């Protein structure tokens, strides 16, 4: 009796591992490398630009602390870079499965659509979390190396007409994050990634194509981006994401890519709104995957 229980458990574990292995394709590797390189390049550029003048941005100098680096990696994962990476992951996973007509073959081994959808979404979220952590560690290592190789040199005020001596100007104070703040940012980014995964999964279920998955996974948030400057901003996912992550406006387009950080964030409201929309998208994707259309061969 115990052996029969262990066999299904091992089979389920193998299925989850297989979903993760199936995601390690050339497009996913490439998108992950690009996202990590962009995040690292932003930090290196900001450090080298400010270190010589002693005016290093405090959010950049704080990255020599591992919790701060992990928080910045979460900011990247929850905004534009994370959105694009998630769309690529879902498109090469679920989108390719539906476009290639192998979804019906999977149903022969597992007829519970909810289980298959949960595995696909769970594998994408696990990959996102791994990329977050790896990116944070790389940012921490890079800034720690820069702090030794290219230290911040305090500015000096040139002597005035009275013949006074030059006075050093200390660099900006460091704004380090605590471990609790880092954990909160990572958890918030995972929730945002869940929304991205569900939107891309819905696109894959409805359109059964890799390009359609990319379009519906990325398109709605990019198209509505200009609306953040209008009175409708509080009702947009962009505002909810900025609320939940508590994005600093001064680091926009430097340590993260987004549209507009709110001046008075409300993380609870943003988190509840994102969770509600993500749940609706997840249920809609599940319903679409159960439909006959998702089981028909590609025309």
């Amino acid at each position: 009796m115990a052996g029969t229980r262990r066999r299904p458990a091992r089979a389920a574990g193998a299925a989850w591992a297989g979903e993760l292995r199936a995601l390690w394709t050339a497009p996913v590797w490439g998108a992950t490398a690009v996202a990590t390189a962009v995040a690292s390049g932003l930090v290196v550029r900001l450090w080298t630009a400010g270190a010589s003048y002693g005016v290093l941005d405090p959010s950049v100098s704080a990255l020599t602390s591992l919790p701060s680096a992990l928080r910045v990696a979460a900011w990247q994962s929850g905004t534009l870079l994370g959105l694009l990476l998630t769309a690529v992951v879902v498109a090469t996973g679920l989108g390719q499965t539906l476009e290639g007509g192998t979804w019906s073959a999977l149903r022969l081994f597992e007829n519970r659509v909810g289980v298959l959808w949960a595995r696909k979404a769970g594998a994408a979220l696990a990959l996102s979390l791994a990329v977050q952590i790896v990116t944070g560690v790389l940012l921490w290592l890079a800034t720690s190396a820069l702090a030794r190789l290219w230290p911040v040199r305090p500015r000096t005020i040139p002597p005035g007409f009275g013949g006074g001596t030059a006075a050093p100007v200390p660099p900006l104070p460091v704004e380090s994050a605590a471990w609790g703040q880092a954990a909160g940012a990572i958890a918030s980014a995972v929730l945002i990634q869940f929304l991205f995964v569900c939107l891309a999964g819905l696109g894959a279920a409805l359109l059964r194509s890799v390009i359609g998955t990319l379009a519906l996974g990325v398109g709605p948030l990019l198209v509505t981006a200009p609306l953040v400057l209008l009175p409708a901003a509080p009702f947009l996912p962009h505002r909810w994401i900025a609320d939940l992550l508590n994005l600093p406006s001064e680091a926009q387009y430097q340590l993260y890519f987004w549209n507009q950080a709110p001046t008075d964030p409300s993380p609870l409201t943003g988190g509840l709104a994102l969770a509600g929309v993500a749940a609706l998208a997840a249920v809609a994707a599940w319903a679409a995957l159960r439909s006959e259309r998702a089981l028909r061969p590609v025309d």
Side-chain angles (χ1 to χ4, degrees), residues 191 239-241 243-244 266-275:
L191 173 59
R239 178 60 180 266
W240 305 337
I241 290 170
D243 281 346
L244 185 59
S266 53
L268 180 60
T269 302
L272 291 175
L274 286 170

Side-chain angles (χ1 to χ4, degrees), residues 36 43 64 69 135 190 203 223:
T36 304
V43 170
T64 52
T135 301
V190 170
V223 169

Side-chain angles (χ1 to χ4, degrees), residues 210-276:
V210 172
I211 300 301
T213 303
L214 290 171
L216 196 54
V218 178
L221 289 175
L222 294 183
V223 169
T224 57
L227 300 180
V228 297
L229 301 177
L230 301 178
F235 306 100
L236 296 175
H238 309 77
R239 178 60 180 266
W240 305 337
I241 290 170
D243 281 346
L244 185 59
L245 289 176
N246 196 15
L247 297 173
S249 56
E250 65 274 7
Q252 181 171 275
Y253 303 119
Q254 297 179 339
L255 295 183
Y256 67 90
F257 290 95
W258 207 234
N259 315 89
Q260 185 181 28
T263 54
D264 187 17
S266 53
L268 180 60
T269 302
L272 291 175
L274 286 170

Side-chain angles (χ1 to χ4, degrees), residues 116-195:
L116 291 175
W117 169 224
R119 287 174 182 168
K120 297 287 185 183
L125 289 175
L127 179 61
S128 169
L129 179 60
V131 171
Q132 277 191 65
I133 295 174
V134 170
T135 301
V137 172
L138 288 177
L139 292 179
W140 172 58
L141 293 174
T143 50
S144 298
L146 286 170
R148 293 177 177 274
L149 300 175
W150 205 324
V152 180
R153 305 180 187 280
R155 284 189 303 173
T156 57
I157 298 178
F161 293 104
T165 58
V169 177
L172 293 175
V174 174
E175 297 177 352
S176 297
W179 280 106
Q181 292 173 306
I186 291 173
S188 299
V190 170
L191 173 59
I192 296 166
Q193 284 289 321
F194 180 57
L195 171 63

Side-chain angles (χ1 to χ4, degrees), residues 91-114:
T92 58
L94 181 61
Q96 181 62 42
T97 299
L98 291 168
E99 185 179 66
T102 58
W103 180 256
S104 56
L106 291 176
R107 292 287 300 273
L108 295 176
F109 296 94
E110 176 55 78
N111 193 43
R112 295 172 296 177
V113 175

Side-chain angles (χ1 to χ4, degrees), residues 37-47 76 253-257:
V38 169
S40 302
L42 288 173
V43 170
V44 172
R45 180 181 64 83
L46 286 173
W47 187 288
Q76 291 282 7
Y253 303 119
Q254 297 179 339
L255 295 183
Y256 67 90
F257 290 95

Side-chain angles (χ1 to χ4, degrees), residues 75-87:
W75 291 345
Q76 291 282 7
S77 180
T79 53
L80 183 59
L81 283 181
L83 166 62
L84 296 175
L85 177 59
T86 301

